[in-house]
Amino acid sequence: MGQDLDSGIPPDRPMRPREPRTVIDAEVSLRRTGHHGYRVKVYDASAHGCRIEFVERPNLDERVWVKFEGLDSVEGLVCWVDNFVAGVEFAKPIHPAVFDRLVGMMR
């Protein structure tokens, strides 16, 4: 299947998250394979993923690690890209109770 060159979203991958996301306005640490980590803005999150701003445009299916304050790094995969903002799907969902605590800390 081809890729939509304007948005970086393959036609078989919707930009909509699989579950409702909680709007947050916070910074997290982001690390890309072969690079040092840096702070970035996260716009929203769910137990399954987040919408995050990158310093450099990421590649689809790029593996990244997102570090929320108070949690171990969460491995994820870039599943859509729109300029420097991308959706990251976590390799393993965050436990619901841990996610609720995380949201409470970020608000």
Side-chain angles (χ1 to χ4, degrees):
M1 291 192 182
Q3 178 176 326
D4 179 343
L5 296 177
D6 292 332
S7 66
I9 305 162
D12 60 338
R13 285 195 187 175
M15 280 182 65
R16 297 176 196 258
R18 72 167 84 175
E19 67 179 270
R21 292 208 174 148
T22 301
V23 175
I24 52 178
D25 183 13
E27 284 193 357
V28 296
S29 293
L30 176 73
R31 188 173 63 79
R32 299 169 76 175
T33 303
H35 294 68
H36 293 287
Y38 51 90
R39 302 290 289 174
V40 295
K41 181 178 172 105
V42 61
Y43 297 97
D44 59 36
S46 74
H48 293 272
C50 62
R51 182 169 53 118
I52 199 165
E53 183 175 51
F54 282 71
V55 174
E56 295 177 359
R57 184 182 168 107
N59 296 313
L60 282 175
D61 296 324
E62 181 177 342
R63 190 164 314 282
V64 297
W65 288 263
V66 179
K67 173 79 169 88
F68 293 96
E69 194 69 38
L71 290 183
D72 289 336
S73 293
V74 180
E75 181 181 349
L77 205 61
V78 174
C79 56
W80 60 263
V81 178
D82 185 9
N83 289 320
F84 293 96
V85 176
V88 173
E89 182 177 7
F90 301 143
K92 295 179 185 173
I94 299 172
H95 187 279
V98 173
F99 180 73
D100 289 344
R101 183 175 159 260
L102 177 68
V103 169
M105 290 181 349
M106 287 195 282
R107 286 195 168 165

